[in-house]
Amino acid sequence: MTPEDVEMMGDQVPEEEMLSEDKVFDDGADYRTIIKEKFYITWDKSSYFGQSAILNHGITHKDQKLLTRMFEDIKIYTFTQTVILQGAAGIGKTTLLRKAMLEWADGNICQQYSYVFYLNGKEVSQSKEKSFVELISNNWPSSEGPIEEILSEPRNLLFMIDSFDELDFSFEEPEFALCSDWNQKHPVSFLISSLLRKVMLPESFLVVTTRSTAWKRLMPLLHNPRCVNLPGLSKISRMDYIHHLLKDKTWAMDAICSIRKNERLFNMCHVYHMCQVICTCLKEQMEKGGNIADICQTTTALFTYYICSLFSQVDESCITLPNETLLRSLCQAAAEGIWSMKYILYKKNLRKNELTRDDLSVFLNVNVLQEDKEYENCYAFTHFHVQEFFAALFYLLIQNPEKRDYPRKSFEDLYSLLESNSFHNPHLEQMKCFMFGLLNKDRVRQLEETFKFTISMDIKVELLMCLETLEKDDINPSPLTLPDLLPCLYETQDRDFITRALNYFTRIDVRVEEETQLLIYSFCLKYCYSLETIKLTAVAELRNLLDLNPTAETCLKDTVARIMKYWQDLFSVLHKNECLREMDLYESRLDESLMKILNEELSHTRCKLQKLLLGSVCFLNSCQDFRFLTNCHTLTHLDLKDANLEDNGLRSLCEALQSQKCKLRVLRLESCALNAIHCIKLSDALNRSRSLVFLNLSTNNLTDNGGQSLCKIIENPNCRLERLSLRGCDFSQVGSEFLFTALKKNRSLIHLDLGSNRVQDSGIKFLCRALQDPTCTLQELELMGCVLTSEGCLDLASVIVNNPNLWSLDLANNNLMDAGLHILCEALKNPKCRIQRLGLENCGFSPVCCKDLLSLFYQNQSLVQINLMKNALSYDTIRELCKVLKSSRCKIKFLALNKKDICNKKIKKLLNDLRMNDSKLVIESYYCNTESGSWWQYF
């Protein structure tokens, strides 16, 4: 354990104040002396060090550094006046502030502030109407002079608001109702809100502590705060502390291995007190001969054992168990507190939930609740997670609405709880997990045996109905995501329920970065039998998952085997989910083991996958192996975009393509670092392929030599290719000569994309000669960014008039100018023209082209889609085009224009009138974001 973690543990041990709030101080004492007496703290380090209690109010070096520089953001060199100290419940936030008060009073830290004021959440919440001066004057001695004089210099003041989450205020006051007058009396909630929002003493400095779960409620109240997280025990320190608590080396090792399998449980151990609770529970079960691996499998299992063990003491005492009504009332108070992010039970909360002091006695006696020793009528659960557990239990104990004479409260709504997610509603996350975990029949049996009454499972049906509604609501998509739902389903450990819950999900998108995610997804997804498409980003490398403490090396072999089993289970969806047709492993990191598992699953006789996307996948240690292509007879689509195909990978791919067993029809190899030599090897394999019809080789440095190899494939009489994309492959006009011969012999190609190659006007001549051949089958031609000018338009015009098959032509990003457009328009107006889709984006047109465009729109009877974006069309040009578009002779239904033009008020009105005239007409400013990168796919 590091010295820093020992210091942090010292911060987390509960403290007790030595003097009461209402002590009368000597008038001669100054403010700092009073603060030292008030916050004189004692804590007992014997829980860790085995030493006697030590009186110690010193501050650690780490904490001193934090407090000294907390208003400075070193990374971006900025300075703020408000700081949030956030961390989990029990992490040591209150202790840190109280020690800071002592250190300031001793003259050790924060001496730039003349006065520091401490405001406790529980104390403030029980105050009624006061002035701000009265609120902070509890410890103010007469020897210091009038406090109003101090407040007149706010830049020298620091206010510390401790435990924002314990403030029993809604903070719904409008800003105009807040106060800046420190002498005027207001409800205390107004005063605190005014201080937080910088209406009261805006130049003063402010530190606020809060639980991480209440952070969302605090942030909207503050102006430009800096957030400082208190992290708690490190991973290594947690394991060291577990060793210390369990003593027995074997028990400790078993506990560490079991806890580490459950990341959520291991994360809870970063809080000193929670680590104690978990270890105490495990030790008790070990002594009874229990299986701690099963107990640690879910957080719900462990907390059920813990809670039941607390109430087992009742049988040995004169205390009676709570009945169902009383337990429901406590659980309701717990749930309401979790939803509202308020974690203290004040007197009014007890009344609201029909709880009396006598009712609480059983929960106080078994350490479920604790009473605050400093402030009257304040109760809290012994730990935040205990409150979350009882809050979750509320949803199982909730009464049937038909049997009640009052409407359902907002926090009782299962639908709202279910659609909450970890990003927007982090405070509900663990409660929701516990609720699902309590659906497990073993957990229910434990609770029924403990509390001696039957628990209804009607909630299961309601949850399934909610899930179906959430998934099928296309109008109002739910914020619930699968990464949020799957951990909850895993907590149930109920295969039948998981199957029914996932029955409504056909598409899933998950990312595996840690072992717990791998465990959860591998367990749940194999029961998602309706799954059709899965996007799975696997970035959790084995070596990163094995970050075990050196003392836990005995777990290493078992851990490797366990992780491999998880991967095997996860990829088993390929043969267990027979509806699965598409798998996307975008940006995954695959090693030899994962590649072997993937090959095995894709080769399974029950695998029905059709489309496999491996875009931007990193194949570790050159583990590219595509043998599955010859075994998976349903796989027709393989995407390797940005996958950096290595020599062994290309060899494996070519071997598969040559096999008659390979049924691949679509192969995408964009940006795979291929060159002319690779192209020669690939060409040999493609010549033997009898299934491939689509090949994309864009953005590879193939050069004309590689193009020559491809042309040999095209001119092969047995070539089946229908769609070929050579975009950005460093071809020149020389490559066009090879294409001329190939296209004259080819009878299968219908789509050719040569965009972003330097074809130039000289190269387009060869290409157009081939396209004018009566036997040419090409239908779609993309020549974006091919360095063409108006001179090349003469050859293209001949093709437009003479090729009866060509119906789509894209000439974007070529410097055609108005002269080039004129040539094209004359051809496009020819009755023999069959062009339906025309791309002319960024071709250098000016308002001069207006006449040609008007005549084209009016006379052409085939053109349906046209792209004129990034051309300098004037308002007058667009106005005249709109007039033509209203004409019944104009057949255009899709027009792309500049966003700036479309947003112009005058043009906007013209377009709105057009749409009213023709509801089917689409006019948009589209920016390429489609799979192939073609503008027209937007429409």
Side-chain angles (χ1 to χ4, degrees), residues 121-154:
K122 285 194 286 288
E123 179 184 5
V124 169
S125 292
Q126 297 187 88
S127 302
K128 297 183 180 178
E129 191 171 279
K130 288 184 175 184
S131 69
F132 189 73
V133 167
E134 290 171 335
L135 180 66
I136 65 173
S137 295
N138 280 350
N139 307 306
W140 193 254
S142 60
S143 60
E144 292 284 358
I147 198 169
E148 289 85 353
E149 293 182 6
I150 304 302
L151 296 178
S152 65
E153 297 182 11

Side-chain angles (χ1 to χ4, degrees), residues 653-703:
L653 180 62
C654 289
E655 288 173 359
L657 289 172
Q658 293 179 65
S659 171
Q660 292 186 356
K661 294 180 180 180
C662 177
K663 306 301 179 185
L664 204 64
R665 291 176 57 80
V666 176
L667 178 61
R668 305 185 71 96
L669 297 174
E670 299 115 295
S671 305
C672 285
L674 299 177
N675 56 35
I677 296 174
H678 293 141
C679 203
I680 293 171
K681 295 178 182 178
L682 187 61
S683 299
D684 291 340
L686 292 172
N687 263 325
R688 296 185 179 131
S689 172
R690 295 294 173 263
S691 61
L692 201 69
V693 297
F694 180 98
L695 177 63
N696 193 330
L697 293 168
S698 298
T699 54
N700 287 290
N701 189 28
L702 303 184
T703 69

Side-chain angles (χ1 to χ4, degrees), residues 32 47 54-55 67 197 221 273 378 382 394 406 479 582 697 707 733 787 820 913:
R32 291 182 185 245
S47 59
I54 301 174
L55 190 66
L67 292 167
R197 299 185 192 186
L221 304 175
H273 173 62
C378 293
T382 48
F394 169 68
Y406 59 90
E582 179 178 327
L697 293 168
Q733 64 268 32
V787 201
D913 292 342

